[in-house]
Amino acid sequence: MPPQPPMLADDLAQIAERSRALILSLQDPGGAYPASPNFSAYRGYSWLRDGSFIADAMSAAGETASASAFFGWCARTLIARAPDIHRIVAAADAGTPVADHEMLPTRFTLDGAAGDTEWWDFQLDGYGLWLWAALTHAERHDLDVTPWRRAIELTVDYLIASWDRPCYDWWEEHVEEVHVSTLGSIEAGLRAAARSELVGPDRRRAAAETADAAARLVRDRGTVDGHLVKWIGSTSVDASLAALIAPLRVVAGDSDLGRATLAELERQLVVDGGAHRFTTDTYYGGGQWPLLSCFIGLAHLDAGDPARARELLAWSAGTVRESGTMPEQVDDHLIDPTFVAEWVERWGPSADPLLWSHAMFLRLAVELDVVTR
Ligand code: BGC
């Protein structure tokens, strides 16, 4: 990116307000947030992961009805799958777990169906994330969310039965591994359930035990040299790990583990404020993702460094296109430019807008008091 003039607080506030408006304008009447309205590979689908973080940002920005509509959509979508969840849990309890392709999907069409396009579907993180985001939203705004109770219970049972299965990570990769970001997402969701009076005492206890087990696995086998790693047994890092510090808060930003993780993410993945996903990323050449810079910014804020958080917000603001939209990634610093052409040929130019990018910008802007809640 060419050198940018210094970003004014008004500019940042304007981008945050435009992000809020864009997300509201694209939310489906049934509550789903599309990942991107126009990108060929995402169009027509809503992800539990993207959607939960989008809803969390909208909730934190005071858009209570929008966030509730998304969680209502999640609840209806999951209750419709109750028979599948019962079967999956029963098979796991019997010691004969179902195959990966029989597990719940990671994304749904906007009306809650499975859709007919192939995807790297078995990902557990989104199930933890919707629990975490929905229950945090209820706590934040003191809401009665009894209509979501059944879906919350089903999700708790699904995660307790499946939490340590290898599955695809946030980026649809390495289905053979147990990913630390996934474990952190599950831990955050189960801890929220264990705190919630909506959930009965036995299930709360079981949720807390599984959350503890996930935390132990991360502490015992998900760290190297004092920092979190990408998957159990790996030595590399992944920018998604910042989410465990904030907004998920399963690792304290000012703990040794939090500080060492942030330092390693900065050292290996952040260039001029722009965060790469991981060092060997080749998706569209492996550019820098504004949503990840914002996650790292949220983590810095949690660790007590608002100045760095603001720099990362300012870098993300610089990714806004002339159309006013924020893309999934920018190509100013690519890890391997030779991979761009094959992705453009396969799916067209990379996603723009990406609602998750706008949401993480809004989330960090709210936390830095750039916009009102
Ligand atoms: C990313 C996922 C994301 C999806 C929709 C994929 O390219 O790897 O993390 O959920 O896009 O935004």
Side-chain angles (χ1 to χ4, degrees):
M1 215 176 289
Q4 301 284 314
M7 200 49 78
L8 301 173
D10 278 359
D11 298 333
L12 297 173
Q14 235 179 50
I15 295 170
E17 289 305 344
R18 275 209 309 267
S19 294
R20 178 206 302 264
L22 183 95
I23 292 168
L24 282 176
S25 73
L26 291 173
Q27 185 168 21
D28 190 69
Y33 295 116
S36 170
N38 47 11
F39 180 57
S40 68
Y42 306 168
R43 193 172 41 217
Y45 283 89
S46 183
W47 268 254
L48 286 181
R49 171 180 45 258
D50 300 37
S52 298
F53 283 122
I54 296 166
D56 176 63
M58 294 300 267
S59 169
E63 299 295 337
T64 315
S66 169
S68 290
F70 174 74
F71 297 128
W73 173 83
C74 293
R76 291 194 303 281
T77 301
L78 296 178
I79 287 168
R81 281 170 178 71
D84 293 339
I85 298 177
H86 292 316
R87 197 170 45 81
I88 291 166
V89 170
D93 288 350
T96 51
V98 303
D100 286 3
H101 70 268
E102 293 178 64
M103 297 294 281
L104 299 178
T106 192
R107 65 177 199 170
F108 300 91
T109 59
L110 301 187
D111 58 4
D116 50 14
T117 323
E118 283 290 301
W119 194 255
W120 300 264
D121 243 328
F122 176 34
Q123 303 178 22
L124 287 168
D125 62 276
Y127 289 86
L129 292 172
W130 108 266
L131 276 185
W132 161 78
L135 291 168
T136 304
H137 172 62
E139 282 168 15
R140 183 184 285 127
H141 297 290
D142 194 18
L143 302 173
D144 173 12
V145 295
T146 313
W148 307 339
R149 184 208 305 264
R150 184 81 198 106
I152 288 169
E153 290 171 349
L154 286 166
T155 309
V156 167
D157 295 352
Y158 179 68
L159 288 176
I160 289 174
S162 323
W163 68 278
D164 57 352
R165 283 181 68 140
C167 67
Y168 289 111
D169 67 2
W170 281 27
W171 319 125
E172 294 82 36
E173 295 193 0
H174 300 287
V175 70
E176 68 288 356
E177 306 294 352
V178 175
H179 301 274
V180 172
S181 300
T182 301
L183 288 171
S185 305
I186 294 172
E187 182 191 341
L190 290 177
R191 292 228 184 275
R195 275 198 311 272
S196 171
E197 291 188 356
L198 210 58
V199 179
D202 290 349
R203 225 185 230 105
R204 284 172 74 166
R205 203 168 315 113
E209 279 168 17
T210 303
D212 288 345
R216 255 195 322 274
L217 180 56
V218 169
R219 299 293 188 288
D220 294 350
R221 298 177 51 212
T223 66
V224 164
D225 293 339
H227 63 80
L228 296 169
V229 291
K230 197 168 158 62
W231 64 70
I232 300 300
S234 157
T235 52
S236 14
V237 291
D238 187 293
S240 60
L241 293 167
L244 274 58
I245 300 170
L248 299 179
R249 294 178 184 276
V250 294
V251 171
D254 59 0
S255 63
D256 290 346
L257 181 58
R259 285 190 195 287
T261 300
L262 258 177
E264 210 51 29
L265 297 181
E266 285 274 3
R267 194 178 71 77
Q268 292 197 34
L269 299 178
V270 184
V271 178
D272 295 334
H276 292 282
R277 296 193 299 179
F278 48 91
T279 54
T280 55
D281 190 9
T282 56
Y283 182 53
Y284 283 92
Q288 293 158 293
W289 289 47
L291 72 91
L292 292 174
S293 291
C294 291
F295 269 114
I296 295 175
L298 285 165
H300 276 296
L301 202 53
D302 195 72
D305 188 352
R308 182 59 182 151
R310 208 180 163 87
E311 283 170 7
L312 292 162
L313 187 74
W315 180 86
S316 305
T319 68
V320 174
R321 303 256 159 94
E322 261 172 38
S323 52
T325 56
M326 198 177 280
E328 180 179 71
Q329 58 170 290
V330 292
D331 60 4
D332 306 288
H333 184 271
L334 294 174
I335 291 173
D336 191 342
T338 62
F339 279 86
V340 175
E342 74 179 54
W343 283 104
V344 172
E345 200 169 304
R346 183 170 174 186
W347 284 348
S350 78
D352 171 38
L354 187 84
L355 270 66
W356 190 11
S357 300
H358 282 280
M360 296 319 298
F361 187 90
L362 179 61
R363 186 73 184 82
L364 181 55
V366 166
E367 213 58 43
L368 283 167
D369 290 325
V370 169
V371 281
T372 47
R373 297 169 198 239

